[in-house]
Amino acid sequence: MRLIPCTEEAHAAAILAILNDAIVTSTALYDYKPRTPENMVTWFATKRAGGFPVIGAVDDDGKLLGFASYGAFRAFPAYKYTVEHSVYVDSAHRGEGLGRTLMEAIVAEAMARDVHVMVGAIDAANAGSIALHERLGFEHSGTVRQAGFKFGRWLDVAFYQRILATPLNPVDG
């Protein structure tokens, strides 16, 4: 396994498959319907426009096993040092440590890009993701109860954050 930067041309279809599996089988994403290839065009355009990384884990044959990324937390200028991240692993490769490897890589990338706070919005029933975040130094910063409704039930979303030592010289504006 190796880590690579994902590109739309090489990885959009594999990322779409991983996301759609999470949509139809879990509460990791609060979407109802699978996304389309057109959604991935917009997704990658947003990543490029914001300068946001997409890091993939691939096997020796180049098959994408999982990915991590981040994007804007909120669309106000003073949030420029805060991002909301996500990590997804192909269902056939969960439990192999890829989530941790991808999370460590996206945290390192955030620090290299002068991010100060990383936020994860996690379904409160997702004990595995919560445990992973806690092992990596993320702290619970609040829960919005009944924020979503999927699979016939209300879902609570828990926010986990990690404060990074960067940037060294933050500025207003």
Side-chain angles (χ1 to χ4, degrees):
M1 189 276 304
R2 60 190 166 90
L3 297 177
I4 59 156
C6 290
T7 66
E8 182 176 358
E9 299 73 27
H11 304 104
I15 290 173
L16 180 64
I18 291 169
L19 290 173
N20 282 343
D21 178 66
I23 289 168
V24 301
T25 66
S26 77
T27 56
L29 279 166
Y30 285 15
D31 286 347
Y32 292 122
K33 296 178 184 175
R35 296 180 184 177
T36 67
E38 293 77 23
N39 294 132
M40 295 310 300
V41 171
T42 303
W43 189 83
F44 269 101
T46 300
K47 298 296 180 185
R48 280 191 303 274
F52 301 130
V54 182
I55 300 171
V58 295
D59 66 13
D60 292 337
D61 296 324
K63 179 181 186 268
L64 188 72
L65 308 175
F67 70 95
S69 186
Y70 62 71
F73 173 65
R74 295 196 68 198
F76 298 99
Y79 288 110
K80 67 183 176 180
Y81 295 115
T82 301
V83 297
E84 183 175 344
H85 69 276
S86 58
V87 60
Y88 293 95
V89 175
D90 182 281
S91 61
H93 296 282
R94 291 185 192 135
E96 299 174 6
L98 292 174
R100 181 182 185 102
T101 299
L102 286 162
M103 281 292 298
E104 289 170 343
I106 204 70
V107 168
E109 188 67 27
M111 291 176 72
R113 296 176 183 218
D114 281 337
V115 169
H116 185 61
V117 176
M118 296 186 75
V119 176
I122 306 169
D123 183 79
N126 189 339
S129 185
I130 289 170
L132 170 64
H133 280 77
E134 289 176 339
R135 283 192 302 272
L136 293 173
F138 285 79
E139 297 178 337
H140 183 253
S141 56
T143 298
V144 180
R145 296 183 58 234
Q146 299 185 8
F149 187 83
K150 186 175 178 181
F151 300 138
R153 67 183 190 275
W154 290 108
L155 306 174
D156 298 343
V157 63
F159 289 91
Y160 281 77
Q161 73 174 70
R162 180 168 165 185
I163 298 174
L164 307 175
T166 49
L168 297 177
N169 299 300
V171 295
D172 285 338

